[in-house]
Amino acid sequence: MIALPYGAAEIVAMRKNGKRPADQLLISFVGPLHGETNPVVIAKPSRGYAWRFVVALPVLIVATTDTPHLAGIVQAIDTAAPAALSVWFADQQDGVNVLIDGYRPRTKTGRRMGVVQRTTLAGLGSGDSASKCMERISGQVKRRAMANADRFDAALVEMATAGFRRLFGAAWGATS
């Protein structure tokens, strides 16, 4: 029999009683996620697990870009048919949506997380503060926006910049 990751037994017990977690399930391959209110399951990338308990649940995998066997892990969890499946790279403060509420992106790599989704996850799995992570995300967004600005009308660029200022607040001005 294949083992369950740490913290999954509680979810299995809930499911046997016809209940399910109210929030998105976080599966951490970076260790404990301190201060997190969502249910957290902690797993090791070197072990195989039974993922059946994630059926029809929204799942966010928290990993790093150098997590070994990540593609196989994502595939194994995806095979268990979660309602939504995303991967958050804690070291990059960036992520990808593999499966969103039953919709599977057409690209092989999935669909990059949007800015709002990334800002809500700022700091997750990182040793840095949420504000430091927000500055990092803001810098990434600003670089991408400036690299693509020439493809859009100046009015659209100004509207996007205003939206990003509102979303990031002081972090938008702090990034170069």
Side-chain angles (χ1 to χ4, degrees):
M1 183 172 154
I2 299 177
L4 291 171
Y6 178 81
E10 292 85 357
I11 295 168
V12 170
M14 285 177 67
R15 308 270 342 234
K16 284 182 180 177
N17 290 323
K19 297 179 182 177
R20 58 189 292 150
D23 296 315
Q24 181 177 43
L25 175 64
L26 306 178
I27 300 176
S28 175
F29 288 93
V30 297
L33 301 174
H34 303 290
E36 185 53 51
T37 58
N38 285 29
V40 178
V41 170
I42 301 170
K44 295 182 188 236
S46 59
R47 296 196 51 198
Y49 296 103
W51 296 109
R52 183 90 178 117
F53 66 94
V54 304
V55 170
L57 296 177
V59 174
L60 176 71
I61 297 170
V62 181
T64 61
T65 51
D66 63 353
T67 298
H69 317 295
L70 187 58
I73 292 166
V74 171
Q75 184 176 16
I77 294 172
D78 186 39
T79 301
L85 179 60
S86 301
V87 180
W88 178 250
F89 297 103
D91 57 332
Q92 297 294 316
Q93 292 293 289
D94 201 354
V96 65
N97 294 310
V98 179
L99 175 69
I100 308 166
D101 296 324
Y103 167 75
R104 185 175 304 282
R106 293 183 184 178
T107 64
K108 281 185 173 182
T109 58
R111 190 176 99 193
R112 173 176 244 119
M113 285 183 179
V115 176
V116 173
Q117 191 177 9
R118 291 177 63 203
T119 58
T120 60
L121 297 173
L124 182 65
S126 175
D128 292 333
S129 68
S131 62
K132 180 108 171 125
C133 291
M134 187 70 93
E135 283 183 25
R136 183 176 190 173
I137 294 167
S138 175
Q140 293 167 349
V141 169
K142 190 179 267 188
R143 282 189 295 281
R144 285 184 194 132
M146 293 299 116
N148 292 313
D150 62 333
R151 297 182 9 203
F152 299 99
D153 181 78
L156 288 174
V157 171
E158 190 55 40
M159 284 174 34
T161 301
F164 290 141
R165 275 192 199 108
R166 196 168 35 257
L167 181 65
F168 288 108
W172 185 255
T175 58
S176 57

